Amino acid sequence: MDFRAQLLGDHPRPRWASSTSDVELKFSYAAMVFFGWINVAMYMLAPVLRPTNVWIGPNASMLVEPNSIFIKSVKVENVYGSEPGLQLFGFYASPPVAVMNWSESRLVSVSHRSYGSQGCPYYLNEGASLNISYNVKPEGCSVRLVVDKVIATRWLWEEPPNYETALSLNLIQGSGVIQLNIKNTESYHLNVANPNLKDVEVELDIDVKAVVYDTKEPPFYKCNFSNRACTFNTMPFVGTSIVITSPAYRQGVLSGEQEWFIRISYQARCTSYAIVTGLVICFILLSIKLNNWLQHHGEERYVMDDDSSIISLLVNKDDDV
């Protein structure tokens, strides 16, 4: 009894709640809950908080599929583009796809050491292709044929492309043909960069093979952007597909008159905020339960370590006696 009392007095039982590791663990719980809430909220509400800006050219066919459980309405605005012809179709399911072919002839004049002021915008779906025939004048000059993914504000303010992310950056001279296959549905821009010290002209004959959505089936909603905006109300738990189309390419019309800059924004349902709040509560309850389990497990581990130490010391003391 004297030995055990002496040992207990010399070696007080450590407390899990007052240890440094306990403070660090609770801090990690708080960080886990905070970042978990941020990730869930941003993932669920990203389409609502951040509108989508898209730059499209002629013969565009763009599919938008909002989640009707979380999205109450979709608003599409024609921010830039005075030419009529944009249309919006609403369907209960994704319409079938079809292949459309058309050809364009363009003459691009580029000043020395500059980038073409009038390029060719396209909105192309996966599976499309471009077959580009070119003729560079005067002879002996080399230029770069650039096909780049569009950042809407870049072309709106006529900034040069990002050569590091360009889909194609071919150095062309004389006459030839380039074929590009589209693997990702994006907005693309075709233009010419002239690194020479004299002006050049590039004749482009572009054969486009596009994958478009068939809008021949009667839609349950249709809008022609008469007020430069269309608002589409979704129905809960019902499939919703929106197709935005632009008019066909017109030969002889300036490229700037066949471009549209559209903005797609969303209005969330109350269920979106309710689900996000419920997930946050689940994160908090889970972290509290995990904290209690680890605290209980840690106290048991310390008790077992204390008893083992006491028994070991008692045995050593008996041996000394």
Side-chain angles (χ1 to χ4, degrees), residues 72-101:
K72 181 180 180 181
S73 64
V74 181
K75 183 179 181 180
V76 183
E77 300 176 80
N78 180 11
V79 179
Y80 173 85
S82 58
E83 289 296 310
L86 283 183
Q87 288 186 315
L88 184 147
F89 302 88
F91 299 93
Y92 291 112
S94 299
V97 296
V99 176
M100 176 185 292
N101 297 281

Side-chain angles (χ1 to χ4, degrees), residues 17-187:
S18 60
S19 64
T20 304
S21 60
D22 183 39
V23 176
E24 295 175 352
L25 190 60
K26 289 184 177 181
F27 177 78
S28 66
Y29 291 152
M32 181 183 68
V33 172
F34 176 76
F35 287 110
W37 178 83
I38 291 295
N39 290 332
V40 171
M42 293 303 295
Y43 177 78
M44 300 292 291
L45 300 178
V48 180
L49 301 176
R50 184 181 58 193
T52 302
N53 299 321
V54 184
W55 194 275
I56 63 176
N59 285 322
S61 182
M62 179 180 179
L63 178 67
V64 180
E65 294 183 301
N67 191 325
S68 60
I69 300 177
F70 304 113
I71 303 299
K72 181 180 180 181
S73 64
V74 181
K75 183 179 181 180
V76 183
E77 300 176 80
N78 180 11
V79 179
Y80 173 85
S82 58
E83 289 296 310
L86 283 183
Q87 288 186 315
L88 184 147
F89 302 88
F91 299 93
Y92 291 112
S94 299
V97 296
V99 176
M100 176 185 292
N101 297 281
W102 75 90
S103 298
E104 305 177 8
S105 295
R106 298 176 183 262
L107 179 62
V108 181
S109 300
V110 189
S111 302
H112 60 282
R113 303 188 68 84
S114 66
Y115 190 70
S117 60
Q118 292 186 355
C120 313
Y122 299 96
Y123 185 88
L124 299 173
N125 295 305
E126 180 183 358
S129 63
L130 296 173
N131 196 60
I132 307 168
S133 301
Y134 59 86
N135 184 20
V136 182
K137 297 179 180 181
E139 296 182 1
C141 291
S142 298
V143 297
R144 289 199 179 275
L145 185 66
V146 182
V147 179
D148 190 18
K149 295 180 181 179
V150 172
I151 298 176
T153 54
R154 174 192 303 163
W155 305 116
L156 189 62
W157 299 106
E158 298 181 357
E159 297 178 10
N162 186 349
Y163 294 106
E164 296 180 357
T165 62
L167 178 66
S168 175
L169 192 61
N170 294 279
L171 186 64
I172 60 176
Q173 183 180 13
S175 301
V177 178
I178 294 175
Q179 184 173 2
L180 296 175
N181 296 319
I182 305 301
K183 298 181 180 180
N184 298 311
T185 299
E186 293 279 357
S187 292

Side-chain angles (χ1 to χ4, degrees), residues 103-107 204-205 248-254 258:
S103 298
E104 305 177 8
S105 295
R106 298 176 183 262
L107 179 62
L204 297 175
D205 294 320
Y249 172 75
R250 293 178 295 165
Q251 189 69 40
V253 179
L254 294 177
Q258 300 187 74

Side-chain angles (χ1 to χ4, degrees), residues 154-321:
R154 174 192 303 163
W155 305 116
L156 189 62
W157 299 106
E158 298 181 357
E159 297 178 10
N162 186 349
Y163 294 106
E164 296 180 357
T165 62
L167 178 66
S168 175
L169 192 61
N170 294 279
L171 186 64
I172 60 176
Q173 183 180 13
S175 301
V177 178
I178 294 175
Q179 184 173 2
L180 296 175
N181 296 319
I182 305 301
K183 298 181 180 180
N184 298 311
T185 299
E186 293 279 357
S187 292
Y188 296 93
H189 197 268
L190 187 153
N191 213 330
V192 176
N194 179 16
N196 301 285
L197 296 177
K198 55 184 175 180
D199 301 348
V200 299
E201 285 186 349
V202 183
E203 297 177 357
L204 297 175
D205 294 320
I206 308 168
D207 296 324
V208 184
K209 177 184 176 183
V211 177
V212 299
Y213 293 94
D214 190 358
T215 57
K216 295 179 181 178
E217 293 293 330
F220 70 86
Y221 179 80
K222 185 176 180 179
C223 177
N224 58 7
F225 291 87
S226 58
N227 296 322
R228 302 191 66 87
C230 295
T231 301
F232 177 82
N233 295 318
T234 64
M235 292 179 288
F237 305 101
V238 176
T240 302
S241 296
I242 300 172
V243 177
I244 304 168
T245 63
S246 61
Y249 172 75
R250 293 178 295 165
Q251 189 69 40
V253 179
L254 294 177
S255 299
E257 298 179 2
Q258 300 187 74
E259 301 176 356
W260 295 268
F261 175 49
I262 62 175
R263 176 172 295 144
I264 306 172
S265 55
Y266 305 87
Q267 181 182 1
R269 295 187 186 276
C270 296
T271 54
S272 301
Y273 303 101
I275 291 175
V276 171
T277 304
L279 290 175
V280 172
I281 293 174
C282 290
F283 269 116
I284 295 174
L285 294 177
L286 180 62
S287 62
I288 292 174
K289 185 174 181 180
L290 183 62
N291 178 41
N292 293 335
W293 180 83
L294 288 177
Q295 184 174 357
H296 179 70
H297 179 73
E299 290 177 349
E300 289 183 349
R301 179 165 58 86
Y302 276 109
V303 169
M304 293 177 61
D305 292 343
D306 288 345
D307 291 342
S308 300
S309 301
I310 292 172
I311 293 173
S312 176
L313 291 173
L314 286 173
V315 171
N316 294 335
K317 192 69 176 179
D318 291 339
D319 291 341
D320 295 341
V321 173

